[in-house]
Amino acid sequence: MKKLDAYLFREFAQATFATLVVLLIVSLGGVFADVLGDIARGRVPAGMMLAQLGLQLLNYLPLILPLGLMLGLLLSVGRLYRDSEMAVLTAIGVGPRRLLRPVLMLVLPVVAVIGLCSLWLGPWARDYSQKMVEAGNRSLLVAGLEPGRFIELPGGGGVVYVGSMSNDGTHLSRIFVYRQKDDRLDVTTARTGQLNVEGEERYLTLGQGFEVEGPLGDGRDYRLMRYASNDLRLPDAAEKSDDDDPDRLSTAALFGDPRPEANAQLHYRLAPPLLALAFALLAVPLGRSSPRQTRYGRVMLGFLAYLVGMNTMYIGTNWLAKGKLPEAAGLWWLVLPLLAFALWAYLHDGRMRRARRARPAMEGAR
């Protein structure tokens, strides 16, 4: 039986790992597009692309891993039925209940990883990512500005040249800025410069310089201005969240927070590992099929069950945050019935129905 458990565990693990690799690649593409969009709008410094990509991916792991676990088990169990291996195992007394040991050998570690990401790594990644962006938006050095080079400002705000820069990237000297506004050009020079941040707005304060404004095409409508101080607005930074935002608080801090938003966030973090366990148990009865039956219909059914469960979790979290549901209810009304149904379906998988007693052909016949 140890060899059998090792064989089944290997089959389950290989299919789950392959499914997770595909899902992670697809999800990485979506996360990469979101990060590039923020960089193009100037909300996130370009130098933080890889760091933000990794941190954002940690936020999606509690949502990706349950789907990969369920689909991997569905594919592996379906292959056992398709190749008639389950028929052989059933003939020697190994039924679906006996599969519980190798299934749990895979499911429990994955559920533990999901719980770790949902309860600790995900909140830490969101908080650390926000702090990195806030610190980077206060420094043009992180945004990609280098002394002695012509650099395009984030968000297409113009082209800037800096002769020298302080070590922290906040104080500049010998500055040249070229911008286009509609059909007019704007060339600004300054001896000194400093980056200032006011809320979500960022300004490059220039000192002791000249500004020339004129048409892009033909014409002589030029204006020359000499200034002592001039504020050049940069693209808006990413929205700054408060330190007491439930999304950024640790899970331990959420337990003592009386706000409905904190209670909703707490249950949002507790739900993914429990839902992953329920989906994993449902995968075994859903994977049952005849040798000639295609297994992709069951995979689609499992995927739809995952979509319904996750969307219901999002809706329930929104209701909790707005006070439409009592705090004591949390998301238990979703998690506990789904767990109970998954356990019942697993335990009743493979049971033969009792034959109905034949009714007499004629009542009262002698």
Side-chain angles (χ1 to χ4, degrees):
M1 289 301 173
K2 292 183 178 180
K3 292 183 178 180
L4 177 61
D5 291 339
Y7 168 74
L8 293 175
F9 171 75
R10 184 170 61 253
E11 291 293 322
F12 297 156
Q14 289 177 352
T16 302
F17 178 76
T19 306
L20 285 176
V21 169
V22 175
L23 291 177
L24 287 175
I25 291 175
V26 175
S27 302
L28 188 63
V31 176
F32 186 65
D34 292 340
V35 174
L36 281 183
D38 291 336
I39 292 175
R41 290 189 293 270
R43 296 179 178 272
V44 176
M48 295 183 178
M49 183 183 67
L50 293 180
Q52 291 296 313
L53 186 64
L55 292 173
Q56 292 296 330
L57 188 61
L58 284 177
N59 294 328
Y60 288 96
L61 283 182
L63 306 178
I64 299 173
L65 292 179
L67 179 61
L69 179 62
M70 182 182 63
L71 293 182
L73 288 175
L74 269 172
L75 292 174
S76 56
V77 173
R79 191 202 66 79
L80 294 177
Y81 280 103
R82 184 193 61 185
D83 296 343
S84 301
E85 293 187 21
M86 281 301 300
V88 176
L89 293 177
T90 305
I92 63 174
V94 179
R97 289 192 180 185
R98 182 59 183 78
L99 296 180
L100 185 61
R101 181 182 298 176
V103 167
L104 291 182
M105 289 171 60
L106 172 67
V107 170
L108 292 182
V110 176
V111 170
V113 172
I114 295 172
L116 181 65
C117 294
S118 179
L119 298 175
W120 181 65
L121 285 179
W124 171 82
R126 286 191 292 269
D127 183 58
Y128 189 70
S129 172
Q130 188 68 28
K131 289 180 179 178
M132 285 184 63
V133 172
E134 292 174 2
N137 286 328
R138 289 180 171 85
S139 173
L140 286 175
L141 181 64
V142 181
L145 193 62
E146 298 179 6
R149 292 182 57 189
F150 287 91
I151 303 296
E152 184 178 359
L153 287 173
V159 178
V160 62
Y161 173 88
V162 176
S164 61
M165 181 187 302
S166 62
N167 294 330
D168 58 359
T170 57
H171 294 80
L172 317 173
S173 63
R174 293 182 291 130
I175 306 165
F176 171 87
V177 180
Y178 173 81
R179 295 177 295 169
Q180 292 184 6
K181 297 180 179 179
D182 297 331
D183 295 334
R184 300 183 67 81
L185 60 84
D186 187 298
V187 178
T188 306
T189 60
R191 290 186 179 180
T192 61
Q194 183 178 356
L195 180 65
N196 296 319
V197 180
E198 297 179 3
E200 299 178 5
E201 298 180 352
R202 296 179 296 171
Y203 295 91
L204 185 60
T205 303
L206 306 177
Q208 303 178 3
F210 293 89
E211 181 176 355
V212 179
E213 182 184 358
L216 286 174
D218 298 334
R220 299 181 179 179
D221 185 16
Y222 285 92
R223 301 175 184 177
L224 174 62
M225 179 181 66
R226 181 176 182 179
Y227 59 86
S229 178
N230 186 11
D231 288 336
L232 174 63
R233 183 174 179 179
L234 299 178
D236 292 339
E239 296 182 2
K240 182 179 179 181
S241 59
D242 299 330
D243 292 336
D244 60 347
D245 190 350
D247 289 342
R248 299 180 59 178
L249 292 178
S250 64
T251 304
L254 293 177
F255 279 99
D257 198 322
R259 293 177 296 173
E261 296 84 359
N263 182 60
Q265 182 64 214
L266 176 61
H267 285 277
Y268 176 78
R269 298 179 187 179
L270 292 174
L274 299 177
L275 291 177
L277 180 60
F279 291 143
L281 293 177
L282 278 175
V284 177
L286 280 178
R288 172 179 288 273
S289 61
S290 60
R292 295 181 178 85
Q293 183 180 356
T294 59
R295 50 179 174 169
Y296 299 106
R298 299 298 182 96
V299 172
M300 183 59 66
L301 184 61
F303 183 72
L304 291 177
Y306 168 83
L307 288 180
V308 172
M310 288 299 175
N311 287 330
T312 306
M313 182 186 70
Y314 281 118
I315 294 173
T317 303
N318 189 24
W319 287 349
L320 282 174
K322 294 182 178 180
K324 296 182 179 181
L325 286 177
E327 294 185 2
L331 293 177
W332 303 119
W333 52 272
L334 168 66
V335 174
L336 295 182
L338 186 58
L339 273 174
F341 174 75
L343 185 60
W344 175 86
Y346 186 91
L347 294 178
H348 286 75
D349 182 33
R351 282 191 175 185
M352 298 183 63
R353 297 181 180 179
R354 295 182 179 180
R356 297 182 180 180
R357 294 182 179 179
R359 299 179 60 182
M362 296 180 60
E363 295 183 359
R366 297 181 179 178

